[in-house]
Amino acid sequence: MDCKDVKELLGALADGEVSDSEREALLSHIAECETCKNEYEDIQNLKKEFSKLDVQLRGALADSVMKKIYAEAYPKKKKPFFFKYAGTAAAVAIIAIAAIYMGTTPQNDKAECNSAEDVTVTLQASDKLFSDDAMTERVTESTQDGSDYEFSSLGKQDSSTSTNTEAEENKEVPKADAKGEAVELPSSEPAESLFDEPMSSAPDILKSEDITLEEPPCEPESDDISLEHFRFYNSISLDTAIIFVDSEVETVAPLLDNVSSVSGSCINVDSHHSAVMDILISNSIPITKTDIPEGSTETTVFAE
Amino acid sequence: MKKCENEEKLIKEALKGNASSFGDLVRHYEKFVFNIAFSFMANYDDAFDVSQDAFIKAWRKLSLFKGDSAFSTWLYRITANTAKDALAQRNRRWSEDEVNEHIPSNRETPEENAIRQENAKELKKALDSLDSDMREIVILREIEGLSYSEISDMLELEMGTVKSRLSRAREKLREILREQNHTISVKRDENR
C-alpha cells in the first residue's frame, strides 16, 4: 500500500471500520512510515478529545416534549354535562344527594336490597378529576356519545335519571359479554341511607359545572409494575377510586386482585376491556358498567 | 445507535395514538436528537427548541415512518431538517458559554481540568469552522458513535463517500487546530 492509499484509510482504521486484511496491511505500513504513523496518532488523539466532548442535557427534554404531545393527543373537551370536583362543600352536597338516592329504611334494608330498583346517577368525569389530560381524554372519550356511568346503589329508581333497565327482585346477575355490554351487579350489602326521602329528579347540582371536588392526592404507581398511567385515585364522595391501565390484561390481572382491597375502584382499561371485566367479575368485585360505545377501546367501570 | 427496547411495538402503539408509547421512544432518543440538534445549532437553548420541535414533528408524522430505515435514521433526518430550517432563520456560532457543558471529572487535578476545558473550547471552535456537511459527519461519528453503515444510511451516502468525507473532515480539523496552535498537535510535535 502506498501512503496515499493508507492516509485515506487511517480514519477508518482508528474507527475500527476496516477488514482484518486491511488492518494488517495498514499497521504494517504504519510501522515503517513515520509520516503515516504521525497522522494515525493525530487521528487517535483527536478521537480522544472528542470522547471528552459531550454536551450535557440540562433539564427534562423528554418531559417537555411529552407535555406538548399529551396536550395535542388529548386535548381538553368541554362536555355539556360536567361533574367537576372541587371543594369540601360541594363534596358534602354530592354525598347528601347520593344518599338521598339510596333512600333505604333501616328496618327493611335487606328487603330493599333485593327489591329496590337501581338508582343511577348520571355523570361524566371532569377534566379536573385527573391530573393530566390523558386521563381526562380516556374517560371523556367513552362518554362522548352520551353513555352514562351507573352507580349501583339501593333506593328508589328515578325515571328521569336512570338509564337502567328495570332490576327485578332476585334477578340473575348478567355477566359482561365479549362486546362489553352493560353489566349491572347489585351491591351485596345494603346501602346506608342518610336520608329517608328520595329525590324525584336529578338535582341540578349534579349538572352544575361549578361542582368540583378536590383533586385526588394519589400518585402514579412506580415503574416496576410496568404499567402506563397506572394511578389510584380516592374520590371523596362516592367512595370510588380510579385505576387507569394502559397495558395488557396479563399485567393488569394481578393488580386487579388488589382492587377489592381498595376502597372502591374505577377501572379504565385501554384495551382488552372485556377480558378485564371477566377478571373483575371472577374476583367478585362488585362493578357496574354500562353503555360502552361501540368500537370503543376504553372501559370505565366503577367498583364499590 | 442502540435501538429502544420493544421499539417496533412502541412505534406500533404510538401509531394507534398511544402517546405514552411514544414517550418511551422520546426518552430513549432524547440525547441522540439533542446532540444532533446541538451540532447544528451550537447553542443549548436553540438545540433544546429544535429537539422539541423534531420530536413533535416525529409524533405528527409517525405514519410516514415505513420501517425501511432505522427509526434513529428517520429521527435524525427530521432533526437535521428541523435544525436546518431553524438555522436558515438565524446565524449562530458556537457560544463561549457552551464550552463548559462537560461535567468535569472528579479525578482531574485543577490543571488537568483547565487543559481539558481549553482543549474542548478549541475543538469546538475548529468544529464550527467546518462546513455543515463535514461537521455533521464528524458529530455523528465522534459524538454519537455511529458506525459507518449507520451514517451511510442516515445521510443516504455511499459507504465510500462516508469514509472519504470523514477523512477530509478530520484532515481539515487537524489543519485548523495546527493553525490555532492546539495542544493536540503541539504535543505530538514536541515528542518528535
Side-chain angles (χ1 to χ4, degrees):
Chain A
M1 289 178 103
D2 62 18
C3 288
K4 186 170 178 276
D5 295 331
V6 168
K7 281 181 181 179
E8 283 180 4
L9 290 174
L10 287 177
L13 176 65
D15 292 335
E17 294 272 357
V18 294
S19 64
D20 290 342
S21 59
E22 280 176 328
R23 187 168 184 275
E24 202 174 318
L26 287 164
L27 289 175
S28 176
H29 179 93
I30 287 167
E32 295 171 0
C33 176
E34 195 68 20
T35 308
C36 289
K37 182 184 173 189
N38 290 336
E39 194 156 326
Y40 184 57
E41 283 176 4
D42 269 355
I43 291 172
Q44 286 180 313
N45 288 336
L46 195 59
K47 286 178 70 65
K48 277 183 197 167
E49 294 292 318
F50 270 116
S51 67
K52 300 172 192 173
L53 195 71
D54 190 19
V55 179
Q56 297 296 319
L57 256 181
R58 283 196 307 267
L61 172 60
D63 288 346
S64 177
V65 166
M66 289 318 296
K67 192 174 174 185
K68 290 178 192 288
I69 285 177
Y70 276 128
E72 196 169 295
Y74 308 115
K76 285 187 180 182
K77 288 182 185 176
K78 196 172 167 75
K79 294 292 179 185
F81 194 53
F82 273 113
F83 187 23
K84 296 184 181 180
Y85 299 90
T88 308
V92 170
I94 292 163
I95 292 170
I97 291 158
I100 289 168
Y101 269 93
M102 291 178 185
T104 55
T105 62
Q107 293 79 13
N108 297 319
D109 274 354
K110 190 167 184 181
E112 287 287 349
C113 283
N114 293 330
S115 64
E117 294 170 356
D118 285 307
V119 175
T120 60
V121 174
T122 301
L123 59 85
Q124 290 178 344
S126 154
D127 291 352
K128 290 194 178 180
L129 176 61
F130 313 112
S131 64
D132 67 28
D133 293 341
M135 296 298 177
T136 303
E137 185 62 12
R138 293 191 187 285
V139 176
T140 56
E141 266 188 22
S142 48
T143 63
Q144 64 188 353
D145 66 345
S147 303
D148 296 329
Y149 298 109
E150 296 183 347
F151 289 90
S152 175
S153 59
L154 301 176
K156 302 292 182 188
Q157 181 175 19
D158 183 276
S159 58
S160 65
T161 58
S162 171
T163 59
N164 274 357
T165 55
E166 290 184 359
E168 297 172 359
E169 188 173 330
N170 299 321
K171 186 180 172 182
E172 283 281 326
V173 176
K175 287 189 178 182
D177 61 20
K179 292 183 183 174
E181 294 296 325
V183 172
E184 264 184 314
L185 299 180
S187 171
S188 57
E189 297 174 17
E192 293 181 17
S193 171
L194 298 180
F195 298 88
D196 289 332
E197 189 177 277
M199 291 179 66
S200 58
S201 63
D204 288 339
I205 195 170
L206 289 179
K207 299 177 186 175
S208 168
E209 295 186 12
D210 295 330
I211 298 173
T212 53
L213 292 176
E214 288 176 3
E215 200 166 297
C218 295
E219 293 301 321
E221 195 54 66
S222 64
D223 289 339
D224 60 3
I225 53 175
S226 301
L227 288 183
E228 300 289 324
H229 299 302
F230 184 71
R231 296 191 172 96
F232 282 91
Y233 288 86
N234 294 312
S235 104
I236 296 172
S237 67
L238 296 169
D239 206 24
T240 60
I242 298 168
I243 304 170
F244 284 86
V245 177
D246 198 16
S247 180
E248 298 298 320
V249 67
E250 292 79 14
T251 320
V252 168
L255 297 156
L256 293 177
D257 284 335
N258 292 325
V259 167
S260 58
S261 66
V262 174
S263 176
S265 296
C266 163
I267 299 153
N268 182 303
V269 181
D270 199 32
S271 62
H272 305 284
H273 53 279
S274 302
V276 171
M277 286 295 300
D278 292 339
I279 291 170
L280 292 172
I281 293 165
S282 66
N283 286 347
S284 302
I285 297 168
I287 53 172
T288 300
K289 179 178 85 68
T290 187
D291 292 340
I292 302 304
E294 191 75 30
S296 170
T297 57
E298 296 179 352
T299 302
T300 301
V301 300
F302 294 94
E304 293 184 321
Chain B
M1 179 74 214
K2 195 178 168 190
K3 272 171 77 170
C4 182
E5 201 177 321
N6 297 323
E7 185 165 290
E8 287 81 14
K9 186 180 176 189
L10 289 172
I11 293 169
K12 202 174 163 184
E13 289 295 311
L15 279 167
K16 290 180 193 173
N18 189 330
S20 64
S21 292
F22 191 77
D24 284 351
L25 293 167
V26 171
R27 275 178 281 275
H28 182 78
Y29 286 109
E30 67 172 328
K31 198 153 192 297
F32 169 73
V33 165
F34 182 82
N35 278 339
I36 295 165
F38 194 89
S39 72
F40 283 95
M41 307 311 294
N43 169 276
Y44 185 95
D45 290 334
D46 290 345
F48 196 95
D49 291 342
V50 163
S51 302
Q52 273 192 122
D53 290 346
F55 275 122
I56 290 166
K57 278 183 190 172
W59 163 254
R60 288 175 183 165
K61 296 183 179 181
L62 196 58
S63 59
L64 299 179
F65 176 64
K66 301 298 177 193
D68 48 1
S69 65
F71 186 72
S72 58
T73 302
W74 186 75
L75 211 51
Y76 166 83
R77 288 181 193 142
I78 290 178
T79 308
N81 289 336
T82 306
K84 284 169 185 172
D85 289 343
L87 272 175
Q89 297 173 24
R90 56 191 99 170
N91 186 19
R92 300 297 294 273
R93 284 286 180 265
W94 293 96
S95 162
E96 293 281 326
D97 298 334
E98 310 304 330
V99 164
N100 298 319
E101 290 291 345
H102 186 67
I103 297 171
S105 165
N106 291 330
R107 282 172 271 181
E108 285 181 332
T109 64
E111 292 77 19
E112 285 168 345
N113 182 265
I115 291 170
R116 186 177 49 71
Q117 296 274 3
E118 187 60 29
N119 285 349
K121 184 178 170 181
E122 295 299 322
L123 191 56
K124 283 188 178 181
K125 276 185 184 173
L127 202 55
D128 192 43
S129 301
L130 295 177
D131 65 34
S132 59
D133 286 348
M134 284 190 185
R135 183 170 62 242
E136 188 179 38
I137 203 167
V138 167
I139 295 282
L140 289 176
R141 175 63 211 130
E142 298 298 352
I143 295 183
E144 291 298 333
L146 299 183
S147 67
Y148 284 18
S149 170
E150 285 172 324
I151 294 171
S152 165
D153 196 32
M154 203 164 277
L155 300 182
E156 295 178 309
L157 297 173
E158 296 292 328
M159 191 72 87
T161 308
V162 171
K163 283 183 185 176
S164 60
R165 189 177 291 184
L166 205 43
S167 178
R168 286 201 317 275
R170 282 170 168 150
E171 178 58 40
K172 185 72 180 168
L173 273 173
R174 285 164 51 229
E175 190 182 305
I176 293 167
L177 290 168
R178 272 196 292 270
E179 285 171 8
Q180 291 175 356
N181 202 29
H182 189 60
T183 52
I184 293 172
S185 52
V186 167
K187 244 187 207 168
R188 180 171 65 75
D189 291 338
E190 284 173 352
N191 290 337
R192 282 184 175 166

